[in-house]
Amino acid sequence: MSKYLLIPVLPLLAFFINIILGRRYLKDNAQWVSIAAVLGSFVIAVSSLFDVISGSRFYGDIYTWVVAGNFRASVGFNIDELTSIMLIVVTTISSLVHIYSVGYMHGDKGYYRFFSYLSLFTFSMLMLVMSNNFLQLYFGWEAVGLCSYLLIGFWYEKRSASDAGKKAFIVNRVGDFGFALGVFMIYLTFGSLDYRTVFNSLSMHLNDPLVHMNLGITAVDVNLFTLIALLLFCGAVGKSAQIPLHVWLPDAMEGPTPVSALIHAATMVTAGVFMVARCSPIFNLSPFAMNVVAVVGAVTAIFAASIGLVQNDIKRVIAYSTISQLGYMFLAEGVGAYSAGIFHLYTHAFFKALLFLGAGSVMHAMEGELNIQKMGGLRKYMPWTYWTFLLASLSISGIPGFAGFFSKDEILWQAYSSGGPGRLVWIIGSITAFMTALYSFRVFFMAFHGEFRGTHEQEHHLHESPKVMTIPLAILATGAVVAGWVGIPSLLGGGNQIAGYLGHVLGHPKGEGTGMQEMMVMGFSTALGILGIGLSYIMYGRRSELPQKIAAAFKPLYTLFYNKYYVDELYSYTVVKPTLWIGKNILGKVTDGTIIEGVVNGVPGLIGWFSARFRRIQTGLVQEYAAVMAIGILIIMVVLIVW
Amino acid sequence: MNQLGYPILSVVIFLPLLGALMVLLINRKNESLIRWVTLITSVLTFILAIPLLTHFDKTTSKMQFVESHTWIPQWNIRYSVGIDGISILFVMLSTLITVLCVLISWKAIKDRIKEFHIALLIVDTAMVGVFSSLDFFLFYLFWEAMLIPMYLLIGVWGGPRRLYAAIKFFLYTLVGSVLMLVGIIVLYFAGGRTFDIVQLSSQNLPYGLQFWLFWAFFAAFAVKVPMFPVHTWLPDAHTEAPTAGSVILAAILIKMGAYGFLRFSIPLFPEATKTYLVPMMLLSMIAIIYGAVICLVQSDLKRLIAYSSVSHMGFVTLGLFALNATGLEGGILQMINHGIVTGALFLGVGIIYERTHTREIADYGGVASRMPVYAAFFMIFTLAAIGLPGLNGFIGEFLILFGAFSAKKAIAVFSATGVVIGAAYMLWLYQKVFFQTVNPKIEAIPDMDLREIVTLLPLVILIVWIGVYPNTFLSYMHASVQHLLERVNIAPESLSIARLLPWR
Amino acid sequence: MVPIQWYLWLSVIVFSIGVFGFLSRRNIIVIFMSIELMLNGVNISLVAFSHYLQDMRGQILVFFVIAVAAAEAAIGLAIIISLFRNKATAHVDDIDEMKG
């Protein structure tokens, strides 16, 4: 247990050391503390993976966090198959990003701050995946959001960066709002937030009248499990940037590129996928919620891919590709193939982190240029970046043999074989696979092939990144190729070990199908991938006029994609601006300013008005007072005498 | 009666008053001596209050450290003080906050230093007195005694519109208090001619009487909290008050309203409280959302934080009126949390105001580049205010919302949106003040000095402590909250519409 | 033996003249004298009743009144003089400092 405790505690210590001592003392040596800590965590994570493989899991509390009334929650760890995979993903990518950042962030005035945030993020993410209860999950959930906020807005002097950080946090809060309600519902239903207690007592609640209880919100009977699952999924939608809360992720690219690789590609954004997998026992009980997950995932996948097709900012294209791939993972989970979703999460971490770090390497060479229209021909200047980027692109496009192929194929096959709505989802997924190959290689060809289209100054400056950056690229590239080999399907002679491994926790999908069908699905998606690459080569690799012609032919569609379906504008005009308007004009001016203040200042005003009238009596002339007094006495005397 | 063998509470209550007398005797030219005497007195008060925590018996809901002496026998008025699990944390917080207020005023207050520190020390006495009184007469005395030095703090050392704000604050609270005074007198006769709070709290008053008294007390407490719609004194008072005044207002004074609900409204009128549960929760919900939305459009730093207090105190009352153990404990903890966090935010604003003399958010920008240490502190306070897990605000808000959710789901759901909007306005504030390019107006501001760090550090420690291990604090409340709930639960249900009518 | 009513009528007349003078005259000195008249009107009735009821307390009270009147005259005149120094008028309509 103390061993597992070290996994998150090491980065936490590094955070404290860096944030307190960094500015004055560590300065340019801040990376050592953080890298040492994350490597330590990595080593322990690997050893815990072997522990789990050898059958020794861990489940236990460290201390009781909150006790209030009948509410009780603790901090504890749950080390099982799912967690161990996540630990490997998080610590591996985090270590590589740490090392890469040494080169990328070199000379930045916030160097120490950057590494302390990275450590804090690693800590939070580890707490998230290791937790054994929902409250700690929520802690990690919000804490990674905080780190994301801090790191997106790392260059806080840039208006757009601080805006993006704020947006990320607030949009995530919207999702967390649902998530928190889900946690409440879980506690009310099961009387505990402990995973084991909750999941074990699920079966007891199956025939519970509570399941169809009246929630008192809409006065409509709602299935309890559906409600809980959907509320939890709300959180996942926010964190994993699914429709309709995807808007923050593209903006999050304002952060330094290593951050995009670590947080906004490999780890944090997959927390939603992880959480749904973790809560699979609950989701399994609600077919409706499962369908929602699948549909949201599928729609997001194709939606984001369509935007990715036309964007010119290299990081934004990759960001939309991330949203799209996350949609894939949810699609898998929605059809019950949780282990396929987690498998894709795991392979995606490698090739997507690689794409981002490759993009970072390009930016490093191009002095921060992001527009792929101004790149081109980088191949000869940066061979390492070129080759690793190519491997990542092949992997994401699902070319056989690469990591992405196995996981994506597994997802598509599971979707197909689950039947019913799964077929529809499969079609969307396949189309997306084609689009994925198209936009991935669009970036690849436009950046690395053809003639350089930037300024002379930029061209003069072009250079390969230092070793400290290219070595992590090479390691990730290896991962992007071989990471999938743990999941080679039996059809291709593999054992699909990862599905078996994760099956202990996540169960096995129910879908069935013949080897023939599986072969067909596999062949179909591979063909689509190759087709996408080919089309991309024709359109962008050879610099034909084709892209412009297509854009002109489908002008409205192109504009729609280019402007990201106007979702940001929609939110701005339907939510943000009306709220501000109400705040300023209705609440500020009418209610507070006029009504309440009217009463508050009106009552004294009224008294003042009467006083102003009454004071006329006070003439200051003693004789008049005396006269009034005399008349008064006279009246009293008359009254007394008459009575 | 008293587990310590000496009248510890009286010492804690009257030591600041003694300090005030000493300050009175110092020559007004000798400014540093005045400051040091005040500081030492307040620190000493805090240190002397620590045995309360260490010797507190957490297993009982009875009043502890009780002292009771006959004061005015003709009217059966006694000097009796004591604390239980509900009040102990407030006593501690009051003494701590006073220390910080002295520290933060070290350079900010430049004229009438002597009077300022006397007022501060009297406030300290009154605050501790309010939280530890067990006699209604004594309670009312302290309750009103608080008002005068507070009025002076705002009216003498405040900003440009200080007189308006001070008078508004005074009259607002006085109107509420006077109604409570009437209530207290009625209680005195109805309860068999006694002012003893503990004794009165165990009596069952007839429902008709409970109804009227509930509203009389409500008037006083709702103004103090402040609940919607009697909140408008708060933005003015907060904005115009000097830093120390804002801190005391935010950290302690507005807690007295919520404390009043806990100490009086709920145990004295359990039946009425149960009847008005839903209206109270609705008012809290309105306060949460209303305060939060209005925060989004504020342009004045202190005004924004003031309105955020309205929203946060809405959470507190929401938790209290959920009337279950989780909600109540969350509510009490959130009162402490809000005291710490909002107190800290006002201290923070004070620190920067001292340098720039402007409260307009638009006059700032890029402070993080100039004052990195300050930015880090303020970030912690901001995050605590928006309820980030691991910091104190989360524990309070989570427990409150959970308690409210258990009681009335729809209200809790709507209230929870306050958390989302809360993040929006606090992060907006932080962005405008600390991020982006450096505003030329604040080009050359120095970072925090040691005194300022020492002022804020205790609050940071508390924020993290409560966030990571809230049981230290929650454990004090369990017995008392349980007792309170038993009191409420034995009261008969009274939910028929007919009983809502006052003439019944 | 003069009946008591006569004394009382005299008292009423003297008092009424005082009241009338107090209310109608504008010169402050005259008003002051009117007050003396009222006091003396009361004195007359006190002495009359004292004699009628054979009770000395009435006459003792008269001495008090005379003493108070003397003091009042002294203080009052002093006030009038200082007032005159400030305002240069003895006309009461000009003295309305206490007007609300």
Side-chain angles (χ1 to χ4, degrees):
Chain A
M1 145 132 180
S2 57
K3 179 175 93 175
Y4 299 126
L5 189 60
L6 273 181
I7 299 179
V9 164
L10 283 176
L12 183 65
L13 284 178
F15 162 70
F16 280 120
I17 292 172
N18 265 337
I19 201 81
I20 294 170
L21 303 177
R23 197 169 63 92
R24 287 268 182 86
Y25 305 105
L26 293 172
K27 289 175 185 158
D28 292 345
N29 295 314
Q31 77 272 25
W32 296 117
V33 186
S34 292
I35 291 178
V38 73
L39 284 178
S41 298
F42 171 70
V43 170
I44 306 171
V46 171
S47 101
S48 53
L49 174 71
F50 285 114
D51 285 353
V52 178
I53 289 175
S54 66
S56 112
R57 298 181 192 84
F58 175 80
Y59 191 99
D61 289 348
I62 297 168
Y63 76 96
T64 307
W65 187 7
V66 191
V67 182
N70 51 7
F71 182 84
R72 183 184 185 85
S74 44
V75 172
F77 291 149
N78 170 23
I79 311 285
D80 62 359
E81 286 82 353
L82 179 59
T83 306
S84 64
I85 295 275
M86 291 302 291
L87 283 179
I88 294 294
V89 171
V90 173
T91 54
T92 311
I93 307 291
S94 185
S95 307
L96 293 171
V97 166
H98 270 79
I99 295 167
Y100 178 92
S101 305
V102 174
Y104 191 86
M105 297 302 290
H106 180 75
D108 193 286
K109 67 174 174 163
Y111 193 72
Y112 81 97
R113 206 158 48 88
F114 186 80
F115 278 96
S116 56
Y117 291 167
L118 276 190
S119 291
L120 182 64
F121 170 76
T122 311
F123 159 75
S124 316
M125 191 69 206
L126 290 169
M127 287 298 277
L128 191 161
V129 298
M130 291 173 78
S131 97
N132 72 344
N133 64 75
F134 284 95
L135 199 68
Q136 190 186 337
L137 177 71
Y138 190 81
F139 162 78
W141 196 260
E142 288 249 310
V144 289
L146 164 72
C147 299
S148 163
Y149 164 77
L150 292 172
L151 283 163
I152 295 169
F154 182 74
W155 288 309
Y156 53 77
E157 287 172 358
K158 261 169 73 188
R159 168 88 197 254
S160 54
S162 56
D163 274 344
K166 190 180 65 178
K167 182 175 177 182
F169 197 96
I170 295 167
V171 172
N172 266 301
R173 261 284 159 101
V174 176
D176 295 355
F177 165 75
F179 188 51
L181 294 179
V183 173
F184 292 158
M185 287 303 299
I186 289 173
Y187 200 95
L188 282 187
T189 314
F190 303 105
S192 172
L193 289 180
D194 202 63
Y195 287 157
R196 209 170 256 186
T197 319
V198 171
F199 297 150
N200 287 344
S201 54
L202 274 174
S203 52
M204 296 192 314
H205 287 271
L206 269 182
N207 298 318
D208 199 315
L210 267 174
V211 170
H212 295 285
M213 72 181 199
N214 187 322
L215 287 164
I217 298 173
T218 53
V220 177
D221 286 356
V222 180
N223 182 305
L224 188 70
F225 294 126
T226 303
L227 185 79
I228 292 177
L230 288 179
L231 286 173
L232 292 177
F233 185 58
C234 258
V237 165
K239 189 76 29 190
S240 297
Q242 299 294 293
I243 288 177
L245 298 180
H246 64 282
V247 287
W248 65 270
L249 188 56
D251 287 12
M253 296 303 127
E254 291 287 344
T257 308
V259 171
S260 311
L262 175 62
I263 299 186
H264 306 121
T267 53
M268 183 189 87
V269 288
T270 59
V273 180
F274 163 77
M275 189 267 283
V276 173
R278 180 54 85 200
C279 304
S280 55
I282 299 176
F283 279 85
N284 281 336
L285 291 176
S286 169
F288 179 74
M290 292 284 274
N291 288 340
V292 171
V293 174
V295 168
V296 168
V299 172
T300 307
I302 193 162
F303 167 88
S306 69
I307 299 174
L309 283 176
V310 297
Q311 297 298 315
N312 286 326
D313 180 320
I314 184 168
K315 282 181 75 181
R316 284 190 187 237
V317 176
I318 306 176
Y320 279 106
S321 137
T322 306
I323 298 176
S324 173
Q325 297 300 312
L326 290 166
Y328 252 97
M329 298 174 206
F330 282 113
L331 182 162
E333 292 182 329
V335 298
Y338 297 101
S339 49
I342 295 295
F343 183 31
H344 195 55
L345 184 162
Y346 156 75
T347 56
H348 173 258
F350 287 97
F351 59 72
K352 189 51 64 64
L354 178 55
L355 282 175
F356 267 118
L357 293 186
S361 180
V362 168
M363 283 168 65
H364 198 66
M366 300 274 301
E367 296 180 315
E369 181 62 62
L370 283 162
N371 192 340
I372 49 174
Q373 301 287 2
K374 294 187 177 155
M375 298 177 185
L378 297 180
R379 176 185 180 178
K380 57 175 177 278
Y381 301 103
M382 351 185 31
W384 280 93
T385 311
Y386 171 77
W387 284 108
T388 50
F389 206 91
L390 174 63
L391 290 177
S393 301
L394 287 170
S395 193
I396 195 176
S397 306
I399 300 305
F402 291 90
F405 166 76
F406 298 109
S407 54
K408 188 180 284 188
D409 179 64
E410 177 76 9
I411 288 175
L412 290 175
W413 165 239
Q414 296 296 353
Y416 179 86
S417 64
S418 69
R423 295 284 164 90
L424 178 73
V425 166
W426 168 71
I427 292 169
I428 299 177
S430 300
I431 299 170
T432 309
F434 166 72
M435 289 157 86
T436 307
L438 186 60
Y439 66 68
S440 298
F441 274 87
R442 171 174 174 263
V443 171
F444 175 75
F445 286 126
M446 288 187 77
F448 291 98
H449 285 262
E451 292 301 312
F452 186 72
R453 297 180 293 275
T455 60
H456 274 290
E457 265 174 67
Q458 283 174 326
E459 190 167 7
H460 193 68
H461 182 259
L462 287 176
H463 60 87
E464 179 60 285
S465 300
K467 283 273 184 298
V468 73
M469 288 165 73
T470 50
I471 289 172
L473 289 181
I475 297 172
L476 280 172
T478 318
V481 179
V482 305
W485 295 357
V486 294
I488 301 173
S490 47
L491 191 70
L492 298 180
N496 202 357
Q497 290 93 338
I498 193 155
Y501 180 66
L502 285 172
H504 293 299
V505 188
L506 302 177
H508 298 278
K510 291 181 276 297
E512 283 177 10
T514 62
M516 193 60 212
Q517 285 171 318
E518 191 174 351
M519 201 58 139
M520 183 211 70
V521 169
M522 200 181 289
F524 185 58
S525 65
T526 310
L528 282 173
I530 293 170
L531 195 67
I533 296 173
L535 187 63
S536 182
Y537 178 68
I538 294 166
M539 284 172 70
Y540 305 103
R542 296 167 56 180
R543 293 300 301 163
S544 66
E545 295 301 307
L546 210 54
Q548 279 85 346
K549 279 183 192 158
I550 294 173
F554 297 96
K555 185 82 181 147
L557 208 58
Y558 177 81
T559 321
L560 188 67
F561 289 172
Y562 188 76
N563 290 303
K564 307 149 206 162
Y565 294 82
Y566 297 100
V567 177
D568 277 325
E569 287 78 4
L570 181 76
Y571 289 165
S572 173
Y573 284 104
T574 55
V575 181
V576 180
K577 288 197 173 150
T579 312
L580 292 182
W581 188 85
I582 289 172
K584 194 178 184 80
N585 294 310
I586 305 288
L587 303 189
K589 287 194 183 140
V590 178
T591 333
D592 251 30
T594 310
I595 300 178
I596 298 175
E597 287 291 85
V599 173
V600 170
N601 292 326
V603 171
L606 206 65
I607 294 170
W609 187 84
F610 277 112
S611 306
R613 300 292 169 284
F614 281 130
R615 78 171 201 186
R616 301 246 170 106
I617 301 170
Q618 204 85 0
T619 54
L621 295 174
V622 184
Q623 285 179 313
E624 288 185 14
Y625 301 163
V628 172
M629 200 168 90
I631 293 166
I633 291 172
L634 215 62
I635 292 171
I636 290 171
M637 278 165 62
V638 169
V639 167
L640 284 178
I641 291 165
V642 171
W643 256 271
Chain B
M1 287 295 264
N2 187 332
Q3 51 263 63
L4 278 168
Y6 65 97
I8 179 168
L9 275 172
S10 293
V11 170
V12 174
I13 294 172
F14 292 109
L15 188 67
L17 204 61
L18 194 72
L21 277 176
M22 278 166 67
V23 172
L24 193 68
L25 298 176
I26 301 172
N27 187 334
R28 62 170 60 251
K29 295 266 165 45
N30 201 343
E31 292 173 0
S32 68
L33 185 65
I34 293 174
R35 294 187 198 278
W36 278 106
V37 168
T38 316
L39 181 65
I40 290 167
T41 312
S42 55
V43 171
L44 206 62
T45 313
F46 176 67
I47 292 171
L48 284 174
I50 288 175
L52 292 175
L53 280 178
T54 51
H55 289 76
F56 190 83
D57 181 3
K58 295 178 186 175
T59 54
T60 172
S61 63
K62 286 204 171 61
M63 289 293 166
Q64 307 188 29
F65 309 102
V66 175
E67 299 160 33
S68 190
H69 308 283
T70 307
W71 183 12
I72 307 173
Q74 293 89 330
W75 299 97
N76 200 7
I77 293 171
R78 300 178 68 79
Y79 170 81
S80 56
V81 289
I83 51 173
D84 66 353
I86 294 172
S87 47
I88 179 166
L89 294 175
F90 295 106
V91 170
M92 295 311 296
L93 187 67
S94 306
T95 53
L96 175 66
I97 290 290
T98 311
V99 176
L100 306 182
C101 283
V102 177
L103 278 173
I104 202 70
S105 310
W106 207 264
K107 285 181 183 151
I109 300 298
K110 293 195 179 73
D111 56 321
R112 297 175 194 271
I113 292 163
K114 189 170 163 179
E115 288 83 354
F116 180 83
H117 287 95
I118 292 173
L120 213 55
L121 286 169
I122 295 176
V123 168
D124 194 7
T125 288
M127 290 190 300
V128 180
V130 164
F131 289 124
S132 47
S133 299
L134 293 183
D135 183 280
F136 258 123
F137 189 85
L138 189 66
F139 168 79
Y140 192 77
L141 197 80
F142 282 126
W143 177 272
E144 293 290 319
M146 177 94 203
L147 223 54
I148 298 154
M150 250 352 269
Y151 170 76
L152 293 175
L153 281 180
I154 301 170
V156 177
W157 293 274
R161 289 175 70 233
R162 56 180 179 264
L163 274 180
Y164 173 75
I167 292 171
K168 193 172 182 179
F169 159 74
F170 195 92
L171 289 182
Y172 238 120
T173 31
L174 197 67
V175 168
S177 308
V178 166
L179 285 174
M180 179 172 74
L181 181 63
V182 175
I184 289 175
I185 293 166
V186 172
L187 258 183
Y188 173 75
F189 289 108
R193 290 176 184 270
T194 176
F195 282 116
D196 189 319
I197 291 169
V198 179
Q199 197 183 330
L200 285 170
S201 301
S202 55
Q203 290 183 349
N204 292 318
L205 299 166
Y207 180 75
L209 194 61
Q210 280 195 24
F211 167 84
W212 290 107
L213 290 177
F214 178 84
W215 288 110
F217 278 76
F218 175 80
F221 301 146
V223 167
K224 277 260 163 129
V225 167
M227 289 175 84
F228 179 85
V230 286
H231 62 275
T232 53
W233 65 269
L234 188 79
D236 283 318
H238 267 320
T239 314
E240 296 305 324
T243 303
S246 305
V247 172
I248 289 176
L249 271 177
I252 310 296
L253 199 114
I254 63 177
K255 304 301 169 299
M256 290 180 182
Y259 174 78
F261 282 128
L262 270 171
R263 173 65 77 226
F264 306 115
S265 296
I266 296 176
L268 283 168
F269 326 117
E271 218 181 321
T273 310
K274 272 167 121 176
T275 313
Y276 299 113
L277 202 82
V278 176
M280 290 297 128
M281 286 178 81
L282 277 173
L283 275 181
S284 309
M285 181 189 94
I286 293 172
I288 291 171
I289 299 172
Y290 187 96
V293 171
I294 228 165
C295 271
L296 289 170
V297 293
Q298 294 305 313
S299 60
D300 182 312
L301 266 175
K302 283 178 106 178
R303 225 178 161 77
L304 192 152
I305 301 173
Y307 270 114
S308 83
S309 287
V310 175
S311 182
H312 284 140
M313 289 309 286
F315 275 110
V316 170
T317 47
L318 182 73
L320 300 186
F321 285 106
L323 280 190
N324 53 41
T326 319
L328 277 168
E329 292 191 7
I332 300 170
L333 188 70
Q334 186 65 2
M335 282 156 77
I336 301 289
N337 290 341
H338 178 263
I340 294 169
V341 173
T342 311
L345 285 171
F346 276 120
L347 288 173
V349 171
I351 285 173
I352 199 164
Y353 182 79
E354 230 176 276
R355 289 162 168 72
T356 60
H357 296 284
T358 173
R359 293 190 312 253
E360 282 297 309
I361 294 171
D363 287 343
Y364 291 97
V367 173
S369 307
R370 291 285 172 272
M371 306 174 69
V373 177
Y374 174 67
F377 274 96
F378 210 90
M379 174 55 86
I380 295 172
F381 302 145
T382 304
L383 294 173
I386 62 181
L388 189 89
L391 302 179
N392 61 354
F394 169 71
I395 307 287
E397 280 178 8
F398 190 89
L399 292 177
I400 287 168
L401 286 173
F402 179 71
F405 194 76
S406 319
K408 290 277 172 290
K409 290 195 180 50
I411 293 178
V413 170
F414 282 110
S415 301
T417 56
V419 180
V420 179
I421 313 174
Y425 65 74
M426 283 312 289
L427 293 182
W428 176 81
L429 169 78
Y430 198 86
Q431 182 193 20
K432 291 288 169 215
V433 174
F434 289 88
F435 290 161
Q436 301 176 10
T437 46
V438 179
N439 192 322
K441 288 180 188 168
I442 55 159
E443 193 57 53
I445 45 173
D447 208 341
M448 295 205 293
D449 58 22
L450 188 67
R451 168 182 63 90
E452 288 161 336
I453 293 175
V454 167
T455 313
L456 296 184
L457 208 57
L459 298 175
V460 172
I461 292 170
L462 280 174
I463 284 171
V464 177
W465 187 349
I466 300 180
V468 174
Y469 197 70
N471 289 341
T472 321
F473 302 88
L474 288 168
S475 60
Y476 283 99
M477 305 169 193
H478 294 324
S480 297
V481 166
Q482 219 49 52
H483 176 73
L484 190 63
L485 277 175
E486 281 160 20
R487 174 90 184 121
V488 174
N489 289 337
I490 53 165
E493 282 293 335
S494 53
L495 288 172
S496 78
I497 294 295
R499 301 200 64 174
L500 286 166
L501 305 174
W503 50 86
R504 279 290 306 266
Chain C
M1 177 91 180
V2 184
I4 185 145
Q5 283 90 345
W6 291 22
Y7 291 108
L8 289 183
W9 277 116
L10 177 66
S11 163
V12 165
I13 290 163
V14 173
F15 187 83
S16 298
I17 293 169
V19 169
F20 181 77
F22 184 88
L23 294 178
S24 61
R25 305 307 292 257
R26 289 291 177 266
N27 189 306
I28 199 159
I29 305 283
V30 179
I31 290 172
F32 210 69
M33 286 155 65
S34 305
I35 295 172
E36 295 296 321
L37 268 183
M38 281 192 275
L39 285 171
N40 283 322
V42 174
N43 281 351
I44 291 167
S45 66
L46 279 172
V47 173
F49 274 112
S50 171
H51 181 71
Y52 178 72
L53 299 170
Q54 289 298 310
D55 186 343
M56 290 310 284
R57 279 184 292 183
Q59 292 182 38
I60 293 166
L61 205 58
V62 169
F63 280 114
F64 272 111
V65 172
I66 292 169
V68 169
E72 178 231 328
I75 295 168
L77 281 171
I79 292 173
I80 290 166
I81 289 166
S82 62
L83 196 71
F84 190 80
R85 278 186 188 146
N86 279 315
K87 308 258 314 183
T89 177
H91 200 76
V92 276
D93 284 355
D94 296 339
I95 305 163
D96 58 353
E97 305 300 291
M98 295 294 283
K99 184 177 160 89

